[in-house]
Structure formats: C-alpha cells, structure tokens
Amino acid sequence: MEKTLSIIKPDGVQKGVIGEVIKRFENAGIKIVAMKMIHLTKEKAKNFYAVHKDKPFFDSLTTFMSSGPVVAMVLAGENVIEKNRELMGATNPADAAPGTIRKDFASDVEKNIVHGSDSPQTAATEIAFFFNELEICE
Ligand code: UDP
Ligand code: MG
C-alpha cells in the first residue's frame, strides 16, 4: 500500500473545511492511517519547505504555514500519491480543474488549502517529518 503526506493548511482549518477535505479522500477510497493537528513554528515551516528556500515566495509561504494550526495526515492506498494530487488540483486554484479541492476552496496560489507529497521519496521524508512509526496505523 502506497502512502503520502497530506496537510490541510492554515487557510483550510480557518475556513472550516477540514471535514470537506477528509470527505473527498474517503469518498475516493483513500484510507487515513495517521492524523494530527499541529501549529508549526516559522522554523519548522522553513524546514518542511526547504526545497523551496531559494524561491521568491519562500518567506511569505513559511509565514503563512506557521500562521495557525494545520492538520497533517498520512493517506494510504493504491497509487495514492498521484490520486491525492488529482483530488487537490493545480497549485494555483485559478488553473485547477473543476471539482478539485483547490478549485472549490482555495483563494490564491499561496493559500491553496492543501499540501500533498509529489513522489515516493518526498512522501517518505514528509511523513517522517510529522509522524513516528507508532503513530501510523497500518
Ligand atoms: N506557492 C506560492 N507561490 C507560487 C508557487 C507556490 O506561494 O508561485 C506556495 C503554495 O502554497 C504551494 C507551495 O508554495 O502549495 C509549494 O509549491 P509547489 O510548487 O511545491 O506546489 P504544490 O506541490 O503544493 O502544488
Ligand atoms: Mg510541492
């Protein structure tokens, strides 16, 4: 069973769409095997998004990601990395397909409601960032 990390970002928690996002995963047959709410520090947000450290949006993104609590989840299922990315939609909600999470709930390219790992390697690293083995219910 493949696993991926999903995060409902501070805007998703603030807008009250935690349940809506989770419902989409469950309706798609994806299993949630770990979940926690956590308020990242700016430092932790910078570590999590280190791959983007040289991008012009890095400071704003990490300020946003540490602006309020997030819900981190481990999703499991066949092909779940790609399936989750499809449910999320394009990074910029303006480009996201109808019926995707970002199209339906996101306000702009930064505050785009959800994060999802983009490869098996990043999934492994990102899951370990939030969860230890005992916290994942296989
Ligand atoms: N982001 C941004 N401005 C941009 C591109 C990305 O603020 O021009 C933010 C946005 O929150 C995005 C995150 O940085 O989700 C990570 O960017 P990435 O390209 O990895 O997009 P994702 O994998 O989340 O679709
Ligand atoms: Mg990404």
Side-chain angles (χ1 to χ4, degrees):
M1 221 40 139
E2 189 173 79
K3 293 202 280 292
T4 192
L5 184 82
S6 168
I7 304 174
I8 302 176
K9 296 183 180 185
D11 58 331
V13 174
Q14 179 68 35
K15 284 180 172 171
V17 298
I18 296 171
E20 293 290 339
V21 172
I22 289 175
K23 194 191 289 178
R24 289 177 187 222
F25 296 151
E26 292 186 328
N27 284 350
I30 290 170
K31 298 283 181 212
I32 294 160
V33 295
M35 177 156 60
K36 66 174 66 163
M37 182 176 271
I38 182 168
H39 191 151
L40 295 170
T41 61
K42 171 93 171 174
E43 219 37 51
K44 282 279 184 196
K46 284 164 84 172
N47 292 344
F48 182 78
Y49 273 123
V51 64
H52 291 306
K53 66 177 164 30
D54 297 324
K55 304 275 171 63
F57 57 80
F58 183 67
D59 186 59
S60 177
L61 171 64
T62 53
T63 295
F64 161 58
M65 287 300 290
S66 57
S67 68
V70 301
V71 176
M73 286 171 277
V74 179
L75 308 182
E78 210 174 295
N79 207 20
V80 73
I81 295 173
E82 192 185 324
K83 252 195 199 168
N84 179 43
R85 297 287 310 193
E86 277 170 17
L87 292 171
M88 289 163 61
T91 306
N92 189 341
D95 304 329
T100 60
I101 293 167
R102 283 167 165 171
K103 185 64 166 190
D104 290 348
F105 303 121
S107 53
D108 63 70
V109 66
E110 178 182 86
K111 295 173 182 63
N112 59 3
I113 305 282
V114 277
H115 168 83
S117 309
D118 61 6
S119 74
Q121 290 72 29
T122 58
T125 310
E126 291 178 358
I127 288 169
F129 184 92
F130 284 98
F131 298 96
N132 67 43
E133 270 179 46
L134 284 174
E135 294 172 314
I136 301 171
C137 304
E138 303 273 5

